[in-house]
Amino acid sequence: MDTKLLAVDYPALHIFWTMLELFLWILWFFLLFKIITDIFRSHDLGGWAKAGWLVLVIILPLIGVLAYLIARGQSMGKRDVEQAERSEAAFKSYIRDAAGTAPAGGGGGGGSHVDDLAKLAALKEKGAISEEEYQKAKDKLLA
């Protein structure tokens, strides 16, 4: 088969239409997976309700997806925001734990070794402690 003949038989409008269909197909699957994920993530639905929504979305996808978006669309957005906030809080907590610092305003008294070493260095520079005392305190902190 000649490739020039194929190019003539497939004009630009058909290419555009094919790209549009591909885009809509990918968008549909993204929406379907988003809804299925939301069904399992929802804590206010019981097991039978989750199973019912899942069957409806899988057996009658167009009606099921539209019904789910109409019935639970707003709460779906709220769950997304709550999940993002929980993820951000967990990330910040992990960073604080990894850095060894207390939360801002926590007042827990659990400062990091870096803060303690900085305080010791400041005391040594002011002359409040001697070099020997500084070394002993530093060794104790790092042990």
Side-chain angles (χ1 to χ4, degrees), residues 59-99:
I59 301 297
L60 299 170
L62 185 61
I63 294 171
V65 166
L66 291 176
Y68 190 85
L69 287 176
I70 291 168
R72 300 180 50 84
Q74 284 185 335
S75 61
M76 190 170 148
K78 290 176 185 175
R79 280 187 294 279
D80 280 343
V81 169
E82 290 170 1
Q83 178 66 31
E85 289 172 351
R86 280 193 305 268
S87 295
E88 184 177 355
F91 177 72
K92 286 181 179 179
S93 174
Y94 172 75
I95 294 296
R96 273 196 299 281
D97 289 345

Side-chain angles (χ1 to χ4, degrees), residues 1 24 31 42 44 55-56 68 70 80 107 112-113 117 128 140:
M1 236 186 190
L24 291 175
L31 182 62
S42 179
D44 58 335
V55 166
L56 184 64
Y68 190 85
I70 291 168
D80 280 343
S112 71
H113 294 304
L117 286 173
K140 186 177 179 181

Side-chain angles (χ1 to χ4, degrees), residues 40-63:
F40 286 111
R41 183 176 56 184
S42 179
H43 296 295
D44 58 335
L45 286 177
W48 286 105
K50 287 180 183 184
W53 276 114
L54 194 60
V55 166
L56 184 64
V57 166
I58 290 174
I59 301 297
L60 299 170
L62 185 61
I63 294 171

Side-chain angles (χ1 to χ4, degrees), residues 112-125 134 141:
S112 71
H113 294 304
V114 175
D115 294 336
D116 294 339
L117 286 173
K119 290 175 187 175
L120 280 174
L123 287 172
K124 185 181 102 176
E125 288 176 11
Y134 172 75
L141 276 174

